[in-house]
């Protein structure tokens, strides 16, 4: 009996023969068990909903199909936010990390970003242990071929076995599998990933439901047998010995051994091989029609777009402690197998390298996300939520963030609560979802710190301050963790108050010590907070003066220093948020008739009617929206509010007279 049947029977043996035909109605069905599906299904089940997680292959739950890494620029912040809300990707990454590096340390704290290399097999095992042991979560292996819709409401799904599974909410997280097709040179085949079947039928079902679909493309580099790489002349890339973790709740109990990555480069010969092979490239011969990501182009794209560059970086990243596979980060391609082999042989350290798996491109269907509400529910189909690459995003972290919000909002929808909408000044997740539903995508969407206009407020170090209370209120942060967060927050605030009141005097002894420590002297009494604003003065210097706080946790010192040294910048950004809050708080009625507003151009009316923004703030971010159009909308909404107020007062007066 294979693992799929074992997993199925593990969840059915106690329910009797009736359940063997899946004749049951779930609160929530989640389709797809990648990073989005795991977060969505875990959130729903933990909040008490009877949930089914359906996947094409239970053995691939939690698989990392591309790079063996979590985090990085802009993505690290999302992982920390997911953890603060009660999600899992951060804890899984911490537990299976085999290298930790903090990127952008030479820049400001707004862009500091943790990145882990992960043991892929260990990550997958940890994710599967998580979902298989979660109460109220059933794991089923099957393919969803259609969604059921009745009166514009999603009522369940249909599987490839012809069975119908009823659900009050359906969350679709199919990744790259919807009509997936992979390309290696001029060869192509239907697949969601190399060696895995695509999801057929679901795209047509969504089209039949009235949704607009598009086609995107992504890719992955080859995997190399590490035993055939000559590392002797390559630059080692070690991790950080002293590093933070993604999770706010401390170091994992069992940490894995740490490894080094290595750096090499393409060269002129590599580039010449690529140029001479473009007639066999599906990207340049028109076989691939989907739009790929600008931020992470294939090596053939890099060579053609940057003809003056003689080399491009390649990071050689181990896929696991027990694996011999090396992920060649930087040479994603869809060129033929023989060209890929020749490329490797032209690169230093890879002259004798053997490919275990070739690089390939994958093309897949996605749903234009402007058809979604900010809750990630489809506007025109009630009770259908979409999360992950189906919404045009790329990356584990972006998918996980959407999955978590979709799960939380599925619960809130069923309990007739307002959806959780994270704002652009509250979370990177809020920036991402607002970008998706307001602007849509014309290429795979990836989070960057530059997308967040309030990024100094959205730092990795303060994700807990921003979001843990929301996670606790949602039922995803346990009481003991919330108590720990509150205690640490109190310690931080108490220490800030102490530093604001306690002073250092310009005594002879203090000045002599400052000179000895190569610190700039003082000419007046200064608070410790003022001293810590100085670039050369660190928290550890307080010990020398006997002014430290021995009870203050060492892992909070960096957060404390950021709050002190960037206080002025943070205050200015808070003021910016306040100015723009008026637009964000001006709600547009759901039934507002944009098409009847003659004072708006036809183009603007069509865009507003298509996206149906929930606020003036969201409307202002629609591409092509003008300040004049926002002014018109503001006036009309204000008038509508006055009319509603007058109408409500008249109704109350009439009711009183009737009595």
């Amino acid at each position: 009996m294979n693992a799929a049947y074992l997993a199925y029977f593990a969840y059915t043996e106690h329910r009797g023969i009736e359940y063997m035909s899946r004749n049951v109605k779930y609160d929530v069905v989640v389709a797809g068990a990648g990073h989005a599906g795991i977060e969505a299904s875990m959130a729903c089940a933990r909040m008490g909903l009877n949930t089914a997680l359906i996947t094409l292959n239970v053995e691939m739950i939690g698989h990392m199909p591309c790079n063996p890494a979590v985090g990085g620029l802009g993505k690290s912040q999302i992982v920390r936010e997911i953890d603060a809300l009660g999600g899992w990707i951060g804890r899984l990454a911490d537990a299976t990390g085999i290298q930790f590096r903090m990127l952008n340390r030479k820049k400001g704290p707004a862009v500091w970003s943790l990145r882990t290399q992960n043991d892929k097999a260990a990550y997958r095992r940890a994710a599967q242990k998580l979902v298989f042991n979660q109460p109220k979560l059933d794991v089923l292996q099957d393919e969803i071929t259609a969604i059921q819709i009745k009166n514009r409401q999603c009522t369940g799904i249909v599987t490839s076995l012809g069975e119908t599974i009823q659900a009050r909410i359906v969350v679709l997280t199919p990744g790259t599998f919807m009509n997936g097709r992979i390309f290696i040179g001029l060869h192509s085949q239907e697949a969601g990933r190399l060696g895995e079947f695509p999801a057929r039928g679901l795209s047509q079902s969504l089209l039949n439901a009235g949704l607009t679909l598009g086609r995107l493309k992504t890719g992955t580099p080859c995997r190399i047998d590490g035993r055939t790489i000559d590392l002797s002349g390559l630059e080692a890339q070690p991790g950080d010995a002293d590093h933070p973790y993604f999770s706010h709740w401390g170091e994992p109990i069992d940490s894995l051994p740490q490894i080094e990555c290595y750096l090499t480069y393409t060269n002129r010969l590599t580039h010449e091989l690529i140029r001479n092979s473009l007639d066999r490239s599906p990207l340049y011969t028109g076989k691939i029609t989907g739009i790929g990501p600008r931020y992470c182009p294939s090596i053939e794209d890099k060579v053609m777009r940057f003809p003056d560059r003689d080399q491009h970086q390649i990071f050689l990243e181990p896929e696991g402690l027990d694996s011999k596979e090396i992920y060649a980060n930087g040479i994603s391609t869809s060129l033929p197998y023989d060209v890929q082999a020749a490329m490797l042989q032209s690169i230093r350290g890879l002259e004798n390298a053997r490919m275990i798996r070739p690089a390939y491109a994958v093309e897949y269907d996605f749903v234009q996300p402007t058809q979604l509400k900010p809750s990630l529910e489809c506007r025109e189909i009630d009770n259908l939520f979409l999360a992950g690459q189906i919404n045009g995003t790329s990356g584990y972290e972006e998918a996980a963030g959407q999955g978590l919000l979709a799960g939380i909002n599925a619960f809130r929808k069923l309990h007739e609560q307002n959806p959780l909408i994270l704002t652009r000044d509250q979370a990177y997740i809020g920036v991402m979802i607002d970008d998706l539903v307001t602007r849509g995508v014309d290429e795979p969407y990836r989070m960057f710190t530059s997308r967040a206009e309030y990024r100094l407020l959205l730092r990795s170090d303060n994700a807990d301050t921003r979001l843990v209370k929301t996670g606790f209120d949602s039922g995803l942060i346990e009481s003991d963790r919330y108590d720990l967060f509150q205690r640490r927050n109190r310690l931080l605030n108490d220490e800030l108050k102490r530093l604001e009141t306690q002073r250092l005097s310009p005594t002879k002894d203090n000045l002599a010590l400052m000179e000895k420590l190569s610190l700039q002297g003082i000419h007046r009494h200064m608070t410790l907070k003022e001293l810590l604003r100085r670039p050369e003065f660190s928290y550890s210097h307080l010990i020398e003066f006997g002014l430290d706080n021995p009870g203050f946790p060492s892992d909070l010192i960096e957060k404390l220093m950021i709050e002190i040294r960037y206080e002025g910048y943070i205050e200015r950004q808070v003021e910016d948020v306040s100015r723009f809050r008026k637009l964000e708080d001006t709600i547009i009625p759901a039934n507002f008739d944009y098409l009847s507003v003659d004072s708006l151009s036809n183009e603007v009316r069509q865009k507003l009617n298509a996206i149906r923004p929930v606020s003036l703030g969201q409307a202002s971010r629609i591409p092509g929206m003008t300040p004049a159009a926002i002014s018109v909308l503001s006036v009309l909404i204000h008038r509508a509010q006055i009319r509603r107020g007058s109408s409500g007062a008249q109704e109350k007066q009439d009711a009183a007279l009737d009595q």
Side-chain angles (χ1 to χ4, degrees):
M1 185 176 291
N2 67 25
Y5 282 107
L6 286 173
Y8 179 67
F9 281 113
Y11 283 91
T12 59
E13 60 185 0
H14 65 288
R15 298 199 179 184
I17 195 69
E18 180 186 16
Y19 183 65
M20 297 299 293
S21 64
R22 302 180 187 171
N23 184 22
V24 63
K25 182 173 182 177
Y26 288 97
D27 293 319
V28 179
V29 164
V30 178
H35 300 276
I38 289 171
E39 297 290 357
S41 60
M42 286 293 297
C44 290
R46 291 177 65 209
M47 289 188 288
L49 301 178
N50 289 318
T51 307
L53 176 62
I54 303 180
T55 178
L56 288 165
N57 185 349
V58 296
E59 295 172 356
M60 301 303 285
I61 291 173
H63 178 55
M64 305 175 87
C66 197
N67 58 324
V70 172
L73 306 182
K75 295 168 174 281
S76 163
Q77 287 83 346
I78 290 179
V79 177
R80 293 276 288 174
E81 290 171 357
I82 292 169
D83 186 75
L85 288 167
W88 289 94
I89 186 173
R91 280 184 262 183
L92 292 172
D94 286 346
T96 61
I98 53 179
Q99 186 188 91
F100 293 76
R101 291 185 72 189
M102 182 64 85
L103 309 179
N104 271 355
R105 272 291 194 186
K106 293 181 180 179
K107 299 183 180 180
V111 295
W112 291 352
S113 301
L114 180 64
R115 185 178 188 268
T116 61
Q117 291 294 133
N118 292 89
D119 186 310
K120 278 185 157 182
Y123 189 101
R124 188 168 62 242
R125 288 194 301 269
Q128 291 177 11
K129 181 179 180 180
L130 188 69
V131 298
F132 281 125
N133 287 282
Q134 175 59 46
K136 290 187 173 290
L137 178 57
D138 289 352
V139 181
L140 308 173
Q141 178 166 305
D142 208 337
E143 176 188 351
I144 293 179
T145 56
I147 55 171
Q148 269 195 329
I149 297 178
K150 185 176 181 181
N151 298 327
R152 306 307 299 169
Q153 285 193 344
C154 188
T155 60
I157 56 96
V158 179
T159 76
S160 61
L161 299 178
E163 295 184 323
T164 297
I165 301 178
Q166 292 182 303
R168 299 167 67 194
I169 297 277
V170 171
V171 182
L172 296 182
T173 67
T176 62
F177 279 73
M178 286 207 312
N179 281 343
R181 177 171 288 275
I182 65 170
F183 296 84
I184 303 173
L186 300 181
H187 168 78
S188 71
Q189 65 188 63
E190 290 184 338
R193 293 191 290 249
L194 187 63
E196 297 183 63
F197 294 115
R200 306 179 185 92
L202 184 55
S203 293
Q204 189 59 52
S205 178
L206 295 176
L207 285 169
N208 293 342
L211 295 178
T212 300
L213 273 61
R215 197 88 169 142
L216 292 176
K217 167 243 163 188
T218 188
T220 190
C222 63
R223 310 308 196 267
I224 304 170
D225 187 335
R227 296 168 296 184
T228 64
I229 299 175
D230 180 7
L231 300 175
S232 59
L234 303 186
E235 180 184 341
Q237 297 281 302
D240 296 338
D242 182 20
H243 59 80
Y245 289 91
F246 282 121
S247 181
H248 298 83
W249 317 114
E251 183 178 349
I253 296 173
D254 297 314
S255 297
L256 297 181
Q258 301 297 286
I259 54 90
E260 289 184 330
C261 298
Y262 287 84
L263 178 63
T264 186
Y265 299 88
T266 62
N267 51 58
R268 291 181 179 179
L269 177 55
T270 316
H271 298 181
E272 190 63 27
L273 284 167
I274 291 169
R275 291 190 191 96
N276 292 337
S277 304
L278 293 180
D279 60 333
R280 300 171 64 199
S281 164
L283 193 61
Y284 283 85
T285 56
K287 289 180 70 71
I288 293 177
T289 59
I291 301 170
R294 278 177 301 155
Y295 54 82
C296 188
S298 63
I299 187 60
E300 54 264 46
D301 251 358
K302 292 179 189 177
V303 168
M304 297 307 293
R305 284 164 52 183
F306 308 105
D308 297 333
R309 292 278 298 274
D310 291 333
Q311 62 180 26
H312 295 282
Q313 289 182 329
I314 304 170
F315 291 94
L316 301 176
E317 303 173 346
E319 297 226 328
L321 296 175
D322 298 323
S323 173
K324 301 303 179 185
E325 285 188 272
I326 302 295
Y327 180 90
N329 191 345
I331 50 172
S332 174
T333 184
S334 56
L335 286 165
Y337 186 95
D338 61 309
V339 178
Q340 294 185 38
M343 283 167 47
L344 292 183
Q345 293 169 10
S346 72
I347 296 168
R348 186 178 184 183
L350 307 182
E351 294 89 347
N352 298 307
R354 181 176 64 85
M355 274 192 294
I356 294 177
R357 286 186 280 176
Y360 63 90
V362 58
E363 201 176 50
Y364 55 95
D365 290 342
F366 79 105
V367 174
Q368 185 56 252
T370 52
Q371 300 166 98
L372 304 179
K373 302 174 184 177
S375 65
L376 297 180
E377 183 183 19
C378 288
R379 276 203 317 270
E380 303 301 328
I381 306 172
D382 285 347
N383 303 333
L384 177 64
F385 289 75
L386 310 182
Q389 284 179 284
I390 191 173
N391 290 337
T393 59
S394 175
Y396 309 147
E397 302 83 1
E398 291 89 340
Q402 293 171 70
L404 179 59
L405 265 290
I408 291 172
N409 285 328
F411 174 88
R412 293 190 173 206
K413 178 72 184 288
L414 292 179
H415 287 78
E416 299 182 349
Q417 299 173 3
N418 290 329
L420 174 60
I421 309 297
L422 298 177
T423 57
R424 297 182 71 90
D425 60 290
Q426 190 179 9
Y428 270 84
I429 297 173
V431 172
M432 170 180 62
I433 293 177
D434 182 67
D435 282 349
L436 292 173
V437 304
T438 303
R439 299 170 180 169
V441 298
D442 54 13
E443 64 175 318
Y445 179 98
R446 176 181 176 175
M447 178 50 70
F448 294 108
T449 54
S450 58
R451 294 189 188 273
E453 56 268 51
Y454 307 120
R455 56 183 173 273
L456 191 54
L457 302 181
L458 307 183
R459 307 183 309 274
S460 285
D461 68 274
N462 70 351
D464 55 345
T465 306
R466 292 183 276 121
L467 296 171
V468 164
K469 177 67 162 58
T470 302
F472 177 72
D473 291 341
S474 297
L476 296 177
I477 295 292
E478 299 88 343
S479 295
D480 58 339
R481 292 181 185 270
Y482 187 60
D483 291 343
L484 174 62
F485 158 73
Q486 289 183 306
R487 285 198 302 272
R488 287 169 59 82
N489 218 31
R490 283 195 296 270
L491 287 171
L492 182 67
N493 291 329
D494 289 347
E495 183 65 357
L496 279 169
K497 290 176 182 176
R498 183 183 80 86
L499 296 173
E500 288 172 350
T501 56
Q502 199 161 349
R503 298 175 182 271
L504 183 70
S505 303
T507 65
K508 183 177 179 180
D509 289 343
N510 283 340
L511 291 174
L513 183 55
M514 294 184 86
E515 184 177 359
K516 178 183 177 182
L517 297 172
S518 300
L519 298 173
Q520 182 182 349
I522 59 174
H523 305 289
R524 61 178 177 83
H525 296 283
M526 294 187 72
T527 67
L528 302 187
K529 184 176 179 180
E530 288 177 307
L531 288 169
L532 288 171
R533 284 204 183 103
R534 293 183 168 188
E536 81 279 6
F537 205 103
S538 69
Y539 191 86
S540 60
H541 285 126
L542 297 180
I543 300 173
E544 302 289 340
F545 294 92
L547 296 172
D548 61 312
N549 178 0
F552 188 67
S554 59
D555 61 328
L556 285 179
I557 290 175
E558 185 173 80
K559 186 173 183 177
L560 177 82
M561 293 298 293
I562 292 171
E563 293 286 346
I564 290 172
R565 289 186 172 170
Y566 290 87
E567 183 179 40
Y569 299 102
I570 292 170
E571 287 176 352
R572 282 198 289 273
Q573 202 147 93
V574 169
E575 290 172 2
D576 291 340
V577 170
S578 298
R579 283 195 294 270
F580 286 101
R581 179 60 62 188
K582 184 176 179 181
L583 284 177
E584 301 295 339
D585 290 344
T586 304
I587 304 302
I588 302 176
N591 60 350
F592 192 90
D593 186 4
Y594 297 103
L595 297 179
S596 67
V597 183
D598 294 333
S599 51
L600 295 175
S601 70
N602 187 57
E603 180 185 4
V604 166
R605 280 183 284 173
Q606 293 294 336
K607 286 184 176 181
L608 287 166
N609 193 58
I611 294 172
R612 304 207 64 80
V614 298
S615 69
L616 273 185
Q618 186 187 357
S620 70
R621 293 186 291 274
I622 296 174
M625 198 59 52
T626 64
I630 296 301
S631 295
V632 169
L633 276 180
S634 178
V635 170
L636 293 174
I637 292 168
H638 182 64
R639 288 177 182 172
Q641 289 172 340
I642 292 174
R643 286 196 298 271
R644 281 200 304 274
S646 300
S647 175
Q650 185 63 51
E651 288 175 3
K652 289 180 181 178
Q653 184 177 1
D654 292 344
L657 290 173
D658 289 342
Q659 291 177 354

